Amino acid sequence: MATNRVQNKKRILIFGATGEGKTTLINNLTGINRPLNNGATVVTFETESVFDDNYEYIDTRGLNEAKGGTIDQGTAMNSLKNLIFDSQVGYNLLIFVLKAGRIRNIHQENYKLISEILSDKQIPVLCVVTACDDDDFDNWVPQNKTMFEQRGFIFSDIVGVSFKHSKNKTLEQVYATNRQESKTRVLTAINQTASDTRIFPHQPNKIFDCILN
């Protein structure tokens, strides 16, 4: 029975560069406080699944170490094989995570690697922009949507979130409200954009050519 419940959950692959807020996002969605990756030790394409009542969130780590990284090629290839093996089970949604600010080359490389090469543009992509703090909470996404379009990103939706905390009691009341609203925004977007059935990458091995060339 437990296995059936896991198999029936929608699978969501969460990807992006190290330090963009992937683990923080999953922690706030699930209420499970997993340690944050500080980037000191990075393993390319390491994945970890976290579950709630409806979804399986697959957290990828070290995606920005794909080319010219700080780990040996053997470790990188083994981790990459694990990602491809995991992809054979299929995904209902991809979530691309990046911090509010300018779009860098690493963001475009990560997007291309997962959305265009691994999934062959077949799986819907939701963009979650983290660190939309204070005045940016409601304003950053509307003010910057065209920037994504100009850079060639194709998203089913873009959501701005803030999981900021403060020791100041007055500010913390505001931030706590924003954290709850952020969770609601993301879950609503997931419900609206995730495929009803799992989509299986047709040629996941194509990602090897991109990494090796």
Side-chain angles (χ1 to χ4, degrees), residues 134-146:
D134 303 316
D135 290 341
D136 283 338
F137 187 62
D138 291 314
N139 298 322
W140 196 93
V141 170
Q143 291 174 356
N144 292 276
K145 271 191 174 182
T146 56

Side-chain angles (χ1 to χ4, degrees), residues 68-200:
T70 58
I71 64 174
D72 63 271
Q73 187 177 23
T75 301
M77 290 302 101
N78 285 334
S79 299
L80 182 55
K81 289 177 184 177
N82 291 336
L83 176 63
I84 292 174
F85 179 81
D86 181 84
S87 300
Q88 293 175 355
V89 188
Y91 302 112
N92 300 81
L93 181 67
L94 307 176
I95 294 183
F96 179 50
V97 181
L98 79 163
K99 280 186 177 179
R102 67 185 182 88
I103 297 176
R104 297 177 287 127
N105 289 338
I106 190 63
H107 297 139
Q108 293 179 285
E109 292 173 4
N110 290 345
Y111 172 83
K112 180 178 180 180
L113 197 64
I114 299 299
S115 177
E116 296 184 5
I117 297 175
L118 178 66
S119 75
D120 198 25
K121 299 182 181 179
Q122 299 300 308
I123 304 172
V125 185
L126 168 66
C127 178
V128 174
V129 183
T130 61
C132 288
D133 303 325
D134 303 316
D135 290 341
D136 283 338
F137 187 62
D138 291 314
N139 298 322
W140 196 93
V141 170
Q143 291 174 356
N144 292 276
K145 271 191 174 182
T146 56
M147 177 173 61
F148 290 104
E149 297 171 0
Q150 292 168 355
R151 295 294 189 94
F153 293 91
I154 301 175
F155 298 124
S156 299
D157 197 1
I158 305 174
V159 177
V161 299
S162 174
F163 297 114
K164 191 173 183 178
H165 291 259
S166 176
K167 294 181 180 179
N168 180 288
K169 291 184 178 180
T170 301
L171 284 177
E172 177 56 21
Q173 289 180 339
V174 176
Y175 292 152
T177 299
N178 288 351
R179 291 196 300 271
Q180 183 58 47
E181 171 63 20
S182 295
K183 178 179 179 178
T184 299
R185 287 180 182 181
V186 176
L187 290 176
T188 299
I190 289 174
N191 184 57
Q192 293 174 346
T193 59
S195 170
D196 291 332
T197 58
R198 291 183 187 177
I199 300 173
F200 305 89

Side-chain angles (χ1 to χ4, degrees), residues 17-80:
T18 300
E20 298 291 324
K22 299 185 298 295
T23 302
T24 298
L25 172 63
I26 295 175
N27 286 353
N28 279 274
L29 292 178
T30 63
I32 301 173
N33 284 321
R34 296 153 55 245
L36 303 181
N37 179 16
N38 61 11
T41 55
V42 178
V43 177
T44 307
F45 299 110
E46 177 185 359
T47 62
E48 178 184 359
S49 289
V50 184
F51 301 87
D52 65 10
D53 291 339
N54 300 304
Y55 305 108
E56 175 186 356
Y57 302 97
I58 300 94
D59 185 4
T60 60
R61 300 190 179 192
L63 192 56
N64 56 326
E65 294 292 320
K67 295 180 179 179
T70 58
I71 64 174
D72 63 271
Q73 187 177 23
T75 301
M77 290 302 101
N78 285 334
S79 299
L80 182 55

